Amino acid sequence: MLNPCTPDFLATLPAGTVRAPDARHLDEPRGRWTGQAGGVALPRSVDEVAQVVRACAAARVGIVPWGGGTGLVGGQVMPGGPAPLLLSLERMAGLRGAWAEESAMAVEAGMTLARVQAAAEGIGGMFPLTLASEGTATIGGNLATNAGGTHVLRYGNVRALCLGVEAVLADGSVHHGLTRLHKDNAGYALRDLLIGSEGTLGIITAATLRVVPRPAEVAVALLAVPSPAAALALLALAEGRLPGLVSAFELISGVGLGFLAETMPEVRVPLVAPWSVLVELGLPAALPAAAAMEGLAMAAAEAGLATDAVIAASGVQAAQFWAVREAIPLANRRIGAVSSHDISLPLSALPAFIDRADAAIAGIGAFRVNCFGHLGDGNLHYNVFPVAGRSRADHEGQREAVKTAVHDLVAAMGGSVAAEHGVGRLKVADLERYGDPAKLAAMRAIKAALDPLGILNPGAVLRQG
Ligand SMILES: Cc1cc2nc3c(=O)[nH]c(=O)nc-3n(C[C@H](O)[C@H](O)[C@H](O)COP(=O)(O)OP(=O)(O)OC[C@H]3O[C@@H](n4cnc5c(N)ncnc54)[C@H](O)[C@@H]3O)c2cc1C
């Protein structure tokens, strides 16, 4: 049983580390929950993080780690239970080291992703994790959620970009894992366990990250495709012609473009079609990317896989194309989803999934579906909205049926109902319903072993025992 975080408890924490929570610490982007907290600890060093964790363990006070607050599954907010202590890494945002000759750098967990990207540029490379929330999201939060984003197809998710982590465990001990080794099979991979654990197994305080070469030539295009199946065939065509050089392949639905027109008419949309893909190629010097993209678009048209194409003529235009893709989640929020689903499936199952899910949703009621996302990774956001003139409140009683229909189908087709945003507090019941029982038992055993008092992010990922 945990105790609430009280003023008396706060007085035991290191001097100068405690503040009252601001609204930004308690709100979350989808507005589903409002968190509560007895206070916010803002430690300045790994030593202070360890002191805070030890104090929480001694007093049995829950800790909710907080990065930038951009998580989409409620892992960073705790709306019920004994008021926890929020532990924000925002004052630990420094560059610990950079090794250009090794294409590696070490950063503190509170550094925003945008600043991590700038630090990589500072040593002549690129940190390829890219998210619409990168100005606010922190690398600690990215690692804790094993964030994906738009360039996973080429560079992997953040786990693939991380060489080592430093973390404070639930007893206040420090795991000094800031290695720059590419090979280290000395026992269990604690780094990989902490990545994606959403603050339930340890507080990540710093990480060593891989930096990759920036492609010399980049081309971006929007291509209208006859169907999601054609989009997948186009992806195979692109990868066959340009192996390893397709950096992003994003599916865009005409419904999403309609939402943009409805809620953000200032966003210029260069190509409107029922289905389209945004393709980014990144090529080494001496391989002209624009010609490669034109060749791809022509081959796609000849094969009946593309009906129209616009190729960005400049970096500014490429950014405008990306702005369309990145505005879609905001437009979705303005329309107000009845239910949003972050799912992944084997690539070849995606077209049938979309057809079957559309049919299942139509059987429940009249809705608009905006299905979009990281097609190249098999990760789609299948989001269900009210028809024009109605609101999400009108469908309150149908939300559970919609979600269950989509998730049951995903599970039946061999997919995941928590593809890139994680489990947080939103999908605890889904994990229990669809998760592999042996995996769930192992997860509970790991949690009990590493956090026997259950103080780290109580109720996130796993229901509190
Ligand atoms: C507009 C928008 C677009 C997005 N696009 C994507 C996308 O394309 N791909 C994607 O994967 N995500 C995306 N996200 C989700 C979100 O940005 C990521 O989950 C991000 O990685 C969270 O980082 P954060 O610093 O904001 O973490 P927070 O939201 O503060 O926390 C997220 C989780 O991590 C834990 N945590 C935070 N910091 C630490 C730490 N140092 N140690 C241990 N645990 C910690 C928290 O307790 C919580 O469980 C998007 C979000 C928004 C708002």
Side-chain angles (χ1 to χ4, degrees):
M1 197 55 195
L2 295 177
N3 297 315
C5 172
T6 60
D8 284 350
F9 169 73
L10 292 173
T12 67
L13 299 182
T17 60
V18 177
R19 241 194 249 159
D22 303 333
R24 75 196 161 101
H25 292 122
L26 303 177
D27 294 340
E28 52 87 25
R30 285 191 168 142
R32 277 173 197 250
W33 292 298
T34 303
Q36 37 125 30
V40 185
L42 299 105
R44 292 155 290 208
S45 64
V46 64
D47 197 43
E48 283 190 347
V49 175
Q51 288 179 53
V52 170
V53 173
R54 275 197 294 273
C56 287
R60 302 205 172 201
V61 167
I63 303 171
V64 176
W66 192 88
T70 68
L72 294 176
V73 286
Q76 72 281 23
V77 290
M78 189 170 149
L85 176 74
L86 236 67
L87 197 158
S88 167
L89 279 299
E90 62 202 90
R91 281 157 103 185
M92 291 181 64
L95 180 68
R96 293 257 188 103
W99 299 267
E101 69 283 18
E102 293 181 20
S103 297
M105 59 186 184
V107 300
E108 289 186 325
M111 188 182 274
T112 63
L113 177 55
R115 283 197 52 224
V116 171
Q117 292 165 346
E121 272 188 34
I123 58 167
M126 172 176 98
F127 189 65
L129 181 67
T130 319
L131 316 173
S133 54
E134 63 201 24
T136 311
T138 62
I139 190 68
N142 299 151
L143 287 162
T145 56
N146 189 24
T150 46
H151 289 69
V152 172
L153 175 64
R154 181 158 180 174
Y155 300 103
N157 46 28
V158 74
R159 187 193 302 280
L161 299 168
C162 178
L163 295 171
V165 296
E166 175 189 86
V168 175
L169 305 181
D171 61 356
S173 61
V174 179
H175 166 50
H176 296 286
L178 273 195
T179 169
R180 310 198 303 276
L181 304 176
H182 288 260
K183 285 189 169 177
D184 179 11
N185 285 343
Y188 301 154
L190 195 49
R191 171 197 64 191
D192 287 343
L193 201 52
L194 289 164
I195 295 173
S197 68
E198 303 183 50
T200 61
L201 299 179
I203 315 283
I204 297 170
T205 49
T208 39
L209 303 173
R210 285 176 52 219
V211 172
V212 301
R214 180 175 286 284
E217 293 259 346
V218 174
V220 175
L222 287 163
L223 289 94
V225 292
S227 64
L232 274 181
L234 172 55
L235 172 63
L237 180 74
E239 291 199 309
R241 290 172 68 97
L242 300 152
L245 302 174
V246 183
S247 303
F249 198 91
E250 297 283 308
L251 183 71
I252 296 174
S253 123
V255 175
L257 299 179
F259 288 176
L260 278 180
E262 202 175 321
T263 65
M264 301 172 75
E266 68 280 9
V267 176
R268 212 179 75 71
V269 179
L271 183 71
V272 178
W275 293 104
S276 53
V277 289
L278 187 155
V279 184
E280 183 179 298
L281 304 177
L283 274 64
L287 286 179
M293 188 65 95
E294 276 162 30
L296 174 64
M298 264 156 47
E302 275 163 26
L305 302 177
T307 53
D308 201 355
V310 277
I311 299 176
S314 65
V316 172
Q317 228 175 33
Q320 284 169 353
F321 289 13
W322 270 113
V324 171
R325 164 63 185 87
E326 283 171 358
I328 288 172
L330 189 54
N332 285 346
R333 234 158 280 149
R334 291 188 180 172
I335 298 282
V338 174
S339 187
S340 301
H341 315 94
D342 164 38
I343 57 110
S344 64
L345 283 150
L347 287 187
S348 62
L350 287 169
F353 164 77
I354 294 173
D355 288 346
R356 288 171 64 182
D358 286 354
I361 296 305
I364 297 172
F367 296 101
R368 291 181 287 181
V369 173
N370 185 11
C371 174
F372 68 101
H374 318 303
L375 187 75
D377 313 326
N379 171 205
L380 293 178
H381 302 302
Y382 187 91
N383 297 352
V384 180
F385 297 83
V387 294
R390 305 203 69 184
S391 78
R392 64 197 283 183
D394 297 331
H395 297 283
E396 207 53 56
Q398 289 167 308
R399 171 171 300 153
E400 204 53 38
V402 168
K403 187 184 86 169
T404 304
V406 175
H407 283 177
D408 280 358
L409 189 56
V410 168
M413 295 179 78
S416 168
V417 300
E420 72 168 350
H421 296 150
V423 176
R425 293 185 169 76
L426 181 69
K427 293 189 178 172
V428 172
D430 294 308
L431 185 65
E432 288 167 350
R433 180 178 168 116
Y434 302 107
D436 172 64
K439 177 180 169 179
L440 272 168
M443 285 174 63
R444 291 190 184 108
I446 291 167
K447 173 75 175 169
L450 291 187
D451 181 17
L453 301 175
I455 58 169
L456 289 180
N457 216 354
V461 184
L462 292 170
R463 200 177 294 277
Q464 245 177 311

